[in-house]
Amino acid sequence: MKLGEKVLVTAALPYSYAPRHFGHLAGAYLPADIFARFKRMRGAEVVYVCGTDENASSIVIEAMRRGMTPKELCDMYYPIQKEVFEKLGISFDIFSRTSKPIHYQVVREFYLRLWEKGYVYPKVIKQWWCPNCKIFLPDRFVVGTCPRCGAPGQYGDVCEVCGSWYESFEIIDPKCSLCRSRPEIREKTHFFLKLSALTEKVLEYVRDKKFWRKATYNKTIAWLEKEGLRDKDITRDYSWGPPAPFPGAEGQVIYNWAENLLGYISATRDWAENIVGDPERWKSFWMDKNVKLYCFIGKDNLFFHTILFPALLIAHGEYILPYNVVVNEFVNLEGEKLSTSRGWVVWLHELLERYDPDVIRYYAAAIAPETRDTDFKWQDFAEKINGELIGTYGNFVHRVLSFTYSKMGGVIPQPGEMDKRDEEMLSRRIEYARMLEEHIEACEFRKGLRTILDLAQEGNAYMNEKAPWSNPEKARTPVYVLCQVVYSLAVISAPYLPFTAQRILDYMNTGKRVSELRWSDAEAMIPPGHRINEPKPLFRKITSEEVEEQVRKLFERLKK
RNA sequence: AGCGGGGUAGGGCAGCCAGGUUAGCCCGCCGGGCUCAUAACCCGGAGGUCGGAGGUUCAAAUCCUCCCCCCGCUACCA
């Protein structure tokens, strides 16, 4: 074990008002959580931060639509977002918000420094302005006719009919998508970030990240080499968001894409101040070169995390850069791409109404889109839960504990002399812990899950071979061994299935909290004579009727 | 169009970067065993032109070239 290891873990900041779906869990929050939990068990100092992203222009507009202020909209959704993560056992050390004063302060300090270092300059740009709504409109909120093919109802600067790209101002017969009135073009001074000066530095930073996932590494390098970074405007005229700290930028805020990444820093400061009670503590993470920063995101976020975020941090100069950006692909649904607007999606809050969080976590880890897009299928969900989680893992735990409880008087027996097979079984559980460790370190969570299952499978095979039920006299040694394996299984599966691990600890009457477990406990031995509690099956099976019902519900909702 | 990822038994995947035992794993299927366990568990078996065509090599799923198919990306929706 590396002593004094420090790890900072981030998961993509969710938009405050967009609920989280299964793909978000499988692609970011769960892998990050497994990683964070594992590292804590290894004795590392871990801070796992997240929070809602509340300053996007789409939030301003969504609030307008609903006749609310952005603040009211965010206040309404924040507890909902937070609750879903809590129920799923996502072990954030802080779940902050980018509307908090600490975030505004971080953004202000950050950009003031960039200004002072000469990375920011003013420039006049043209933007759409809706005189009726009295706001500047992002391109996407301007509807009009394609200047190339004449297709009506196109958004922004790309035509979905003919696929051509054009200047947003070329669009014919523009209308504000909110009120349908005609927007005008206005010129205004905005502030630009000199990203063009950072291409080489970012490339230099990325070059040696050969251990990143292949797609992540290649895409990032290719992007930088082929296109490089262009200067970009970072201010907007909104009354919602962190104020821009530049001279002459009164009334302007820092644009969402340029400030939300700093939410990781402000969340850590929020944690230091309000959870730890030591306002300086965040520095021992963001300003310590020995800290490894892991960012977990979906592929839609790649540019921002592998290119833009490092560029910003390099420009600033005092903070550490991501050590690994763990990028996941997408989870499709029953063979089709997700579409939240069409209702083609599996929401986490709905799953939680019906399923054990560990059941959800299991399936999310089992189909985590690590190297390619994967598919959520209800039938597959039932097969994997019933066959793997329950049939292999749950059944192994339950048959061992229930046998011990009912046939051995509820007491871990005193083993007799161990044969080769018994010794082997005991050492195998340690080998599995080592293998799992390697997989998690490499951020290969699916392989890790398989390793857990393999240990249960070996335990099942061992139990069948030893058949303790056939000869009570010879049952003591194998049952003793099996109880050790079950305990190890609970320990090593704790990062994936924390609630289940806790139940096993309780059935085994260990008096331990799962949060107290250390990785080395996988090698621990429960002493003979230890009394266990009455075990219950860990999970409930998913019926075929239920699968049909879920599929039916999905299609019914789609019709609307 | 360019770039990136992928195309391996009925389905889902690993192996490919550092070429070399009978190409592994899970599900399903077939046949056995067991009965402690949530009809769960264990063992065995059938099933593969490793997208296609060339090439390099003593040897290629693994390296090179070309082609076909699927998916994604190309910063003003962050």
Side-chain angles (χ1 to χ4, degrees):
Chain A
M1 174 160 73
K2 291 173 216 159
L3 281 171
E5 191 186 9
K6 287 201 280 188
V7 183
L8 186 52
V9 180
T10 72
L13 307 184
Y15 268 164
S16 55
Y17 75 91
R20 297 292 90 187
H21 58 64
F22 184 85
H24 292 130
L25 178 72
Y29 307 102
L30 179 65
D33 188 60
I34 292 167
F35 190 77
R37 285 176 179 272
F38 166 73
K39 285 291 189 181
R40 290 188 194 109
M41 288 175 77
R42 291 297 314 265
E45 255 190 275
V46 176
V47 187
Y48 179 16
V49 303
C50 194
T52 43
D53 175 7
E54 308 196 351
N55 304 312
S57 53
S58 55
I59 287 168
V60 175
I61 286 162
E62 180 65 21
M64 277 181 75
R65 274 195 182 126
R66 301 194 194 185
M68 309 168 84
T69 65
K71 175 87 169 87
E72 286 167 347
L73 181 68
C74 293
D75 284 351
M76 191 168 108
Y77 278 95
Y78 174 78
I80 299 172
Q81 297 276 21
K82 195 176 182 199
E83 191 190 356
V84 164
F85 290 127
E86 274 168 9
K87 283 185 176 167
L88 284 164
I90 303 299
S91 60
F92 297 134
D93 290 287
I94 178 97
F95 188 70
S96 189
R97 313 174 56 169
T98 63
S99 60
K100 285 193 173 185
I102 185 67
H103 181 68
Y104 284 26
Q105 187 191 332
V106 164
V107 173
R108 180 184 171 75
E109 287 172 9
F110 195 93
Y111 278 102
L112 214 47
R113 185 177 162 94
L114 261 53
W115 169 264
E116 282 160 4
K117 291 180 82 174
Y119 280 107
V120 179
Y121 62 92
K123 187 180 169 186
V124 174
I125 60 163
K126 292 192 282 187
Q127 283 173 284
W128 288 113
W129 163 264
C130 176
N132 185 39
C133 299
K134 298 201 175 4
I135 57 165
F136 284 97
L137 297 166
D139 289 348
R140 196 195 173 172
F141 290 93
V142 176
V143 195
T145 302
C146 171
R148 301 278 186 275
C149 73
Q154 296 306 309
Y155 290 83
D157 54 5
V158 61
C159 174
E160 287 179 350
V161 177
C162 69
S164 59
W165 290 69
Y166 43 85
E167 272 288 308
S168 163
F169 304 110
E170 291 179 52
I171 202 162
I172 297 163
D173 192 24
K175 284 189 170 58
C176 167
S177 72
L178 304 175
C179 70
R180 298 283 147 183
S181 58
R182 187 185 181 89
E184 43 192 71
I185 297 168
R186 283 205 177 178
E187 293 202 332
K188 189 149 194 292
T189 298
H190 275 280
F191 290 83
F192 276 66
L193 189 59
K194 216 180 275 180
L195 287 169
S196 56
L198 294 159
T199 303
E200 281 309 314
K201 286 179 182 167
V202 177
L203 254 174
E204 201 178 304
Y205 150 76
V206 179
R207 288 252 189 246
D208 63 337
K209 302 296 185 296
K210 292 273 170 58
F211 53 90
W212 286 10
R213 286 182 183 161
K214 194 159 71 171
T216 305
Y217 184 83
N218 289 342
K219 279 186 206 177
T220 304
I221 295 281
W223 199 323
L224 287 164
E225 285 184 341
K226 297 254 153 47
E227 303 191 46
L229 281 158
R230 302 194 298 265
D231 291 358
K232 246 187 81 55
D233 49 323
I234 53 169
T235 49
R236 275 296 183 275
D237 298 282
Y238 288 122
S239 52
W240 176 247
F246 316 123
E250 289 73 25
Q252 296 184 330
V253 297
I254 297 292
Y255 202 15
N256 185 227
W257 69 264
E259 56 83 20
N260 63 0
L261 290 161
L262 303 182
Y264 298 135
I265 299 169
S266 55
T268 313
R269 291 184 66 164
D270 192 4
W271 165 81
E273 218 169 298
N274 295 308
I275 307 286
V276 181
D278 174 4
E280 297 300 300
R281 183 68 184 287
W282 67 280
K283 290 183 181 170
S284 73
F285 282 87
W286 283 97
M287 294 183 166
D288 180 346
K289 295 272 185 261
N290 297 314
V291 174
K292 284 185 175 167
L293 169 58
Y294 286 79
C295 300
F296 289 79
I297 58 166
K299 61 180 167 183
D300 51 327
N301 240 325
L302 181 129
F303 169 81
F304 300 101
H305 287 77
T306 67
I307 298 175
L308 180 64
F309 194 34
L312 293 174
L313 295 167
I314 288 168
H316 184 278
E318 284 191 344
Y319 298 143
I320 57 165
L321 273 58
Y323 169 73
N324 197 352
V325 182
V326 183
V327 181
N328 283 294
E329 308 288 313
F330 287 153
V331 178
N332 295 323
L333 175 55
E334 302 288 349
E336 303 275 337
K337 266 186 242 177
L338 288 198
S339 168
T340 52
S341 55
R342 283 168 55 230
W344 193 248
V345 60
V346 176
W347 298 113
L348 291 171
H349 58 267
E350 290 180 0
L351 278 176
L352 280 163
E353 285 169 13
R354 192 137 183 190
Y355 301 102
D356 180 326
D358 276 353
V359 163
I360 301 170
R361 290 174 67 107
Y362 182 88
Y363 191 54
I367 66 165
E370 291 173 356
T371 55
R372 67 182 78 179
D373 288 357
T374 57
D375 217 348
F376 181 110
K377 288 190 167 126
W378 279 106
Q379 184 62 41
D380 181 58
F381 173 73
E383 282 168 10
K384 285 200 164 60
I385 296 305
N386 291 345
E388 298 176 6
L389 180 60
I390 301 179
T392 303
Y393 177 102
N395 180 54
F396 172 63
V397 171
H398 188 246
R399 70 196 291 218
V400 169
L401 295 184
S402 63
F403 189 89
T404 307
Y405 189 76
S406 59
K407 302 289 197 292
M408 308 300 286
V411 171
I412 295 183
Q414 177 69 48
E417 191 160 336
M418 299 215 183
D419 64 21
K420 223 173 139 186
R421 188 72 181 92
D422 303 322
E423 299 282 6
E424 182 192 47
M425 188 68 245
L426 283 176
S427 63
R428 287 296 278 166
R429 80 209 158 107
I430 295 166
E431 288 170 35
Y432 275 105
R434 301 257 155 82
M435 284 189 268
L436 178 52
E437 200 173 312
E438 282 175 28
H439 291 140
I440 296 179
E441 289 283 1
C443 294
E444 295 177 332
F445 303 103
R446 294 178 70 155
K447 281 187 187 169
L449 189 66
R450 183 37 63 183
T451 304
I452 291 168
L453 229 51
D454 286 346
L455 175 57
Q457 197 274 336
E458 279 206 24
N460 274 322
Y462 169 82
M463 189 166 183
N464 278 31
E465 270 177 58
K466 292 291 179 178
W469 51 85
S470 65
N471 185 346
E473 288 310 301
K474 288 184 178 170
R476 293 177 182 285
T477 304
V479 171
Y480 171 82
V481 170
L482 283 162
C483 286
Q484 310 307 333
V485 176
V486 167
Y487 184 70
S488 299
L489 191 64
V491 173
I492 69 169
S493 60
Y496 287 77
L497 309 169
F499 300 98
T500 304
Q502 184 64 60
R503 263 175 276 165
I504 299 172
L505 294 183
D506 293 343
Y507 290 147
M508 294 190 86
N509 190 28
T510 61
K512 275 203 174 191
R513 304 302 306 164
V514 73
S515 55
E516 301 163 355
L517 285 178
R518 303 302 287 253
W519 197 250
S520 54
D521 287 329
E523 302 180 22
M525 299 295 245
I526 308 287
H530 177 84
R531 181 164 293 279
I532 68 166
N533 294 316
E534 182 178 7
K536 297 259 170 22
L538 292 167
F539 309 99
R540 143 189 102 68
K541 285 214 165 189
I542 294 162
T543 64
S544 52
E545 292 75 34
E546 201 174 330
V547 170
E548 284 165 26
E549 187 193 329
Q550 294 287 8
V551 172
R552 199 175 58 240
K553 272 164 64 183
L554 186 62
F555 279 96
E556 274 169 13
R557 191 169 56 187
L558 183 64
K559 285 177 197 158
K560 287 184 204 164

